[in-house]
Structure formats: C-alpha cells, structure tokens
Amino acid sequence: MAQAQKITPRAKDFSEWYGDVIMQAQLADYSPVRGCMVIRPHGYRIWELMQGALDAMFKATGHRNAYFPLFIPMSFLAKEAEHVEGFAKEVALVTHTRLRATGKEGKAAIEVDPTSALEEPLVVRPTSETIIYAMFAKWIQSYRDLPLLLNQWCNVVRWELRTRLFLRTTEFLWQEGHTAHVDEADAEREARTILAIYRRFAEEWLAMLVLTGVKTESESFAEALRTYAIEALMQDNKAIQGGTSHNLGQNFAKAFGVQYQTAAGGLEHVWNTSWGVSTRLVGGLIMTHSDDNGLVAPPKVAPVQVVIVPIWKTDDERGQVSGVGSQVKADLEKAGLRVELDLRDNMKPGAKYFEWEALGVPVRLEIGPRDLAAGQSMLARRTGGKAPTPMAGLVAAVTRALDEIQSALLAVAKERREKASIRGVTKAQFIEFIKGSGGFAYGGFCGSPSCEAEIKKETNATIRVLPDPEFRSKEAPRTCMWCGKPSVAEAVWAQAY
C-alpha cells in the first residue's frame, strides 16, 4: 500500500490529488524554469498517441502539416490590435541576439551584449495567426488555390503567472490548424468539421464526454466571428475547455492582404479559420478518469496497455513463468497491443501491482506456477475486477477486456456528468448549485455582456457554451435565469479550469 498512500485522496484535496497522480504516474515534473514543465516519457507517450489519432483525422479531411517559425516580428501583432490585446500580458520578447563574458564570477560572469540589440523585437510564438496569414498572402493568388488547409504541431509560450502541470504552463505543446476559404459558408463548414473531429477524438479516444456549442462574445477568441468549443466536466465538477475552433471571418485576411482572384475575375479577401487542442487534454484525461491509486488511462491512449507480471519463488519457476510470459507478450504484440513484461528481481509482485496501477495500465496479467498448471492467467482490470482467464484465447480475452474498459470509462463519465447537471435553473437554484457541489447549470440567458460579467463576478462561473441543439433542454427557457429579462438562448454555466 506504500505506493498508493503517497497519493492524497480526491475527497480530501482534489488539487493535491491531481499533482500526486502526475508524480506517481511519472507523467511530468516541475522544471527549473518557473512556470514550465518537463513532460516525462510516460506522459509524452500519451501525447504521442493523441497526436497520432488526431493527425490521422486531420489528414483524412484534407489537411496537411507544415511548420512556421517560433519567432514573430512584433510589428505583425500590431497589425491586429484586438487580436494581440488578448495575449499582450503573456507575450515573451527577444530583444538581443547574444551574450558576452564579463570576466567576473558567478551570475555576473555573463551579460547581454548591448551591441546585439535587434532592430525589431521578436515575439516568442503565443499563437501563429499573424505569421501564417502573412505567408498565405504570398501563396494564395486565385480561387484555384483554395481552400488551403494547414496544421502544425508545435510549442507556444504564454507567460502565465499561475501555473498547473498540463492545465496551464508558460510553455505547452499543441496543434494549431489554419485554413483559408473562398467564402464565409465554407469557413463555417470547416470550423464545424473540426469541432466534430475534436468531439469524436475526446469521446472515442479519451473516453471524455463533451458538450459542444458556441462561445459568447466575451469568451470567444479575439477577432473571431464565432468560437466553438468542446467542454468536459471533471470529477470535481469543474469544467475544462478541451479544444476550440474559430471562424475568423476576414479580419486577418484584410490585415495581411490575403486576397484571391475570383472565377469572375474580381478580387476578394479570403475567409479564415483557426483551431487547436493542447497538452491540456492530458490534464483533462487525468481528472476525468483517475482514482486514489493513480492514473487510469483509457486503453486507446495508454502508453502500456497490458503488463505481464510473472510470479515465482525458485529459479526453476522463474524460468517457466518468464518463458510463458515472453510468449504471451509476443502474441499480444503481434495483435498490435502495447505490452510490458515485468521480470524485475528486486520487487515483490504486490509492489509491482501498485506501481503499474499508479501508471494507469488498463490490464495486468499475473502468471504463476499454479496458473501454468491450470493453463490460465489471472487477468486484472485497472478499473476493478480480477478473474482467471484460459491461455487458449488469451489474446482475444485481453482485447475484449480493453474494449470493455474503454467503453465503461465513457459510460461512467456520462453518468457522472448527468448527475452533476441541472436544467431550468432559477437564480436562487443557480447560486446554491454553483457554490455547492457544482457542475453544468443550464438556464436562460438574456445575451447581455453586463449580465454575464455580473454572474462571473458573484459566482466565479462562466458560460461554457451556448449548447448545440442535441444538448439543449426539451423546453427552451423563456427568461434569463439571472436578470429575468427575455432569454435569447440557453446557456451552460460552470466554474472552470
């Protein structure tokens, strides 16, 4: 139990629990650079699996990967003042190109070489709209060049003052898609297509149930016509924005002169979209599924899907069980599974179990001398349950167990979300709900930014989305749940990360 006891129970302190799970699962660690994190191999493998799944979905819909510079001329951001306003307090600048030795000791041994000042400071990429659309202006000449559908996998820097591993760090990894279209309708289709991809990925791969919908103006990306988002509910009943897709209209195209010749010979500005998800999704995965024993990883993105733990007392037994374990490993890998065989001599089986549980491995196979004699293996599920499983047909049984675990995690997430959702709230119910257990609160919204701001100030709750039709209540609200004025839309409120 020593391994599990290092994790603070969720009920005691959810924030401490979250950090403990990350440490015990060896997902990330704090960097010497304040606000930054080191993603450890186990955590990075989860990100790689996420990348692989999303990248395939993007390419299946006609998108291609490219790469743009980390550094952006500061004047580029000045071309879109409203856009940069959202990042101004978080932007890091490069002002000089080199250091020089001083001949002194300690921290004073080097200094910025004042003769190396740049003529124009460079912004360290907080997002890439400006530099990408500057390039689009060079590449797009005719309607035949459209649509232009690009994506890049990269890092970005936003100088955060309050950081949490994966959820909010000064530097993080993400993908950002940027596209150009002939008209608003095509750009809108693109934005909605990406939103559907994000939802499919969240639910089918991360087993993370999400709401989809449009953001209010105050919650939208600066200069976007519309911002769409996927929103998930964590175990502490706070929401997390898992990804956003923006219909940017023509603002960036006009700022950077991105025009195309129409089929009729005229000249028009393109319509743009941008969209992205980040390593924040790893944090969402942790808070959606994990328990007081450590990480619970959905099988599709688990770095190790199956661990085989042979059990022995004598050298002869070790040879027998390790030989069978090696063959089982080969069979499972042949079926396309990610497998580890734990033959360490310096740990007892129980200690190994707790370690692999903390790492979130979905299935554990225990093989001892008695199991060999009975022609079986003990199959233990990370989500609970343990049963003898015949060696004959073991690959099929393991594959079936992984599929069942993946489905069950989504079902549990759905049940939890429904229990933590309240519809048709009055103001009094809303305040009690948000300041109490929390969750998703559905209610009428008058559309007033001042009303929205007042709710946020008094309850720390924000409108997560104006939900898409399938998520709306059966009866549309008639009045704003806060001010009582006529409702223009149903909104979903929650406190959020």
Side-chain angles (χ1 to χ4, degrees), residues 12 45 95 99 197 203 233 264 284 322 432 475 478 481:
K12 182 178 180 181
R45 183 59 178 140
T95 58
L99 303 172
I197 287 175
E203 296 183 350
L233 199 63
S322 63
E432 182 182 6
E475 292 187 16
R478 296 180 180 180
M481 68 87 189

Side-chain angles (χ1 to χ4, degrees), residues 227-460:
T227 290
Y228 299 101
I230 58 170
E231 295 280 340
L233 199 63
M234 304 295 96
Q235 290 185 60
D236 63 347
N237 290 338
K238 287 186 179 180
I240 190 170
Q241 181 177 282
T244 50
S245 180
H246 315 286
N247 182 339
L248 296 177
Q250 294 178 300
N251 292 316
F252 285 97
K254 290 176 180 177
F256 288 89
V258 189
Q259 295 178 292
Y260 71 97
Q261 188 176 53
T262 67
L267 205 59
E268 295 284 350
H269 286 96
V270 302
W271 297 74
N272 294 116
T273 76
S274 68
W275 29 273
V277 298
S278 73
T279 39
R280 160 177 276 237
L281 280 176
V282 179
L285 180 154
I286 295 165
M287 292 192 292
T288 299
H289 302 300
S290 301
D291 59 23
D292 292 347
N293 290 325
L295 177 68
V296 175
K300 285 189 176 182
V301 293
V304 178
Q305 294 171 305
V306 185
V307 61
I308 303 166
V309 182
I311 303 167
W312 68 84
K313 291 183 179 179
T314 67
D315 289 343
D316 285 344
E317 289 177 347
R318 187 187 195 281
Q320 292 173 359
V321 294
S322 63
V324 173
S326 296
Q327 184 58 56
V328 170
K329 181 176 186 288
D331 292 342
L332 292 171
E333 288 178 333
K334 189 175 180 179
L337 301 180
R338 299 180 289 277
V339 190
E340 288 287 343
L341 176 63
D342 192 341
L343 293 174
R344 290 176 291 178
D345 287 315
N346 60 343
M347 290 180 70
K348 293 182 179 180
K352 292 180 180 180
Y353 300 164
F354 285 120
E355 182 178 292
W356 289 111
E357 279 191 358
L359 291 170
V361 178
V363 167
R364 182 178 72 245
L365 296 177
E366 304 165 13
I367 304 175
R370 291 182 182 178
D371 296 308
L372 292 185
Q376 67 182 28
S377 168
M378 293 298 295
L379 190 156
R381 302 185 184 211
R382 176 62 181 84
T383 49
K386 183 175 177 178
T389 306
M391 286 292 187
L394 184 60
V395 172
V398 169
T399 302
R400 184 167 57 252
L402 292 171
D403 290 341
E404 290 171 354
I405 291 169
Q406 184 81 29
S407 298
L409 288 175
L410 183 63
V412 169
K414 182 177 182 179
E415 181 181 2
R416 185 174 63 248
R417 186 184 75 179
E418 295 310 305
K419 285 183 178 179
S421 297
I422 183 171
R423 293 177 181 269
V425 291
T426 63
K427 183 176 182 178
Q429 290 172 332
F430 176 78
I431 293 173
E432 182 182 6
F433 179 71
I434 291 296
K435 294 187 175 181
S437 60
F440 283 146
Y442 292 72
F445 175 51
C446 63
S448 168
S450 60
C451 189
E452 185 179 2
E454 184 179 324
I455 294 170
K456 182 177 181 179
K457 182 180 180 181
E458 292 199 22
T459 67
N460 201 32

